[in-house]
């Protein structure tokens, strides 16, 4: 098992050495593939000014090779959904910093609006086990990092701990 500081250092270098989000995601994708199941990595955020769910960078393993995609709009939200997003989670409830959703698993909390469920479908994660890393600074939600792998590959408790340990550079 690799020491925690080494993995933390490697992730920090992947994130900090690149100015391009796509190049950073490619480096991170390669590193994560060497440590855990990872067939798709996507960094996403909600642009509240224009009401869009955007992919900042997407890297996936397709037909035996790495394929990358630059920033793109995944979904445009109605105005009332953007208002819900600005308010934040009900009761101040924050999602866990790292969550795992497995194929066929229902979300623990249903989306508060049908458009949120539709937006999630645009991530193209159906059929994958997914680790979701919530990216925020204090109370400001910045976005999420999605790491996905097709079953039977799955994320273990050790993978979750590794991801929790490296949230800061992300």
């Amino acid at each position: 098992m690799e020491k925690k500081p080494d993995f933390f250092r490697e992730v920090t270098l992947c994130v900090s050495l690149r100015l391009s989000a796509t190049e950073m995601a490619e480096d991170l994708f390669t590193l994560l593939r060497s440590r855990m199941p990872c067939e798709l990595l996507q960094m996403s955020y909600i642009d509240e000014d224009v009401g869009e769910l955007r992919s900042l960078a997407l890297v996936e393993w397709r037909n035996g090779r790495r394929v990358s995609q630059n920033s793109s709009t995944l979904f445009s939200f109605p105005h009332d959904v953007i208002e819900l997003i600005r308010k934040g989670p009900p009761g101040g409830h924050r999602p866990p910093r790292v969550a795992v959703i497995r194929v066929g698993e229902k979300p623990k909390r249903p989306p508060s609006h049908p458009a949120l469920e539709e937006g999630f479908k645009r991530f193209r994660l159906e059929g994958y086990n997914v680790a979701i890393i919530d990216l925020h600074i204090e109370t400001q939600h910045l976005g999420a990092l999605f790491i996905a792998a097709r079953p039977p590959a799955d994320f273990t408790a050790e993978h979750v701990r590794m991801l929790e340990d490296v949230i800061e550079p992300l």
Side-chain angles (χ1 to χ4, degrees):
M1 181 61 147
E2 184 171 343
K3 295 178 193 170
K4 178 173 128 179
D6 293 338
F7 185 63
F8 181 87
R9 180 179 178 281
E10 287 184 60
V11 170
T12 301
L13 288 172
C14 284
V15 172
S16 62
L17 289 179
R18 302 290 190 170
L19 295 177
S20 159
T22 302
E23 289 175 356
M24 182 273 301
E26 290 170 346
D27 290 350
L28 187 57
F29 178 79
T30 300
L31 174 63
L32 291 176
R33 278 186 60 82
S34 72
R35 304 297 195 286
M36 64 184 63
C38 180
E39 294 174 54
L40 183 145
L41 180 138
Q42 181 170 253
M43 294 184 74
S44 301
Y45 68 99
I46 295 174
D47 186 335
E48 293 181 26
D49 293 335
V50 293
E52 293 179 344
L53 173 62
R54 298 193 49 80
S55 171
L56 185 60
L58 172 84
V59 185
E60 64 183 312
W61 194 255
R62 191 184 319 152
N63 299 324
R65 58 183 215 132
R66 187 181 73 187
V67 178
S68 303
Q69 180 182 11
N70 292 325
S71 179
S72 64
T73 298
L74 299 173
F75 187 75
S76 293
F77 287 108
H79 180 73
D80 60 329
V81 173
I82 290 299
E83 289 307 313
L84 275 174
I85 291 167
R86 283 189 181 120
K87 286 180 187 174
H93 173 74
R94 299 234 29 103
R97 292 298 302 263
V98 178
V100 174
I101 300 174
R102 292 178 174 85
V103 171
E105 209 173 62
K106 295 289 182 197
K108 293 178 174 60
R109 291 186 336 253
S112 53
H113 194 283
L116 292 171
E117 186 174 349
E118 183 60 33
F120 190 75
K121 288 179 184 175
R122 301 297 172 97
F123 284 115
R124 302 183 341 198
L125 297 173
E126 289 181 8
Y128 285 98
N129 291 323
V130 183
I132 304 169
I133 296 94
D134 180 46
L135 304 174
H136 64 269
I137 297 175
E138 296 176 6
T139 60
Q140 182 182 7
H141 184 263
L142 302 175
L145 179 69
F146 296 85
I147 302 168
R150 291 200 184 277
D154 199 0
F155 299 98
T156 66
E158 181 61 26
H159 296 139
V160 171
R161 276 191 295 283
M162 287 171 64
L163 293 170
E164 287 171 341
D165 288 342
V166 298
I167 284 175
E168 291 313 311
L170 296 173

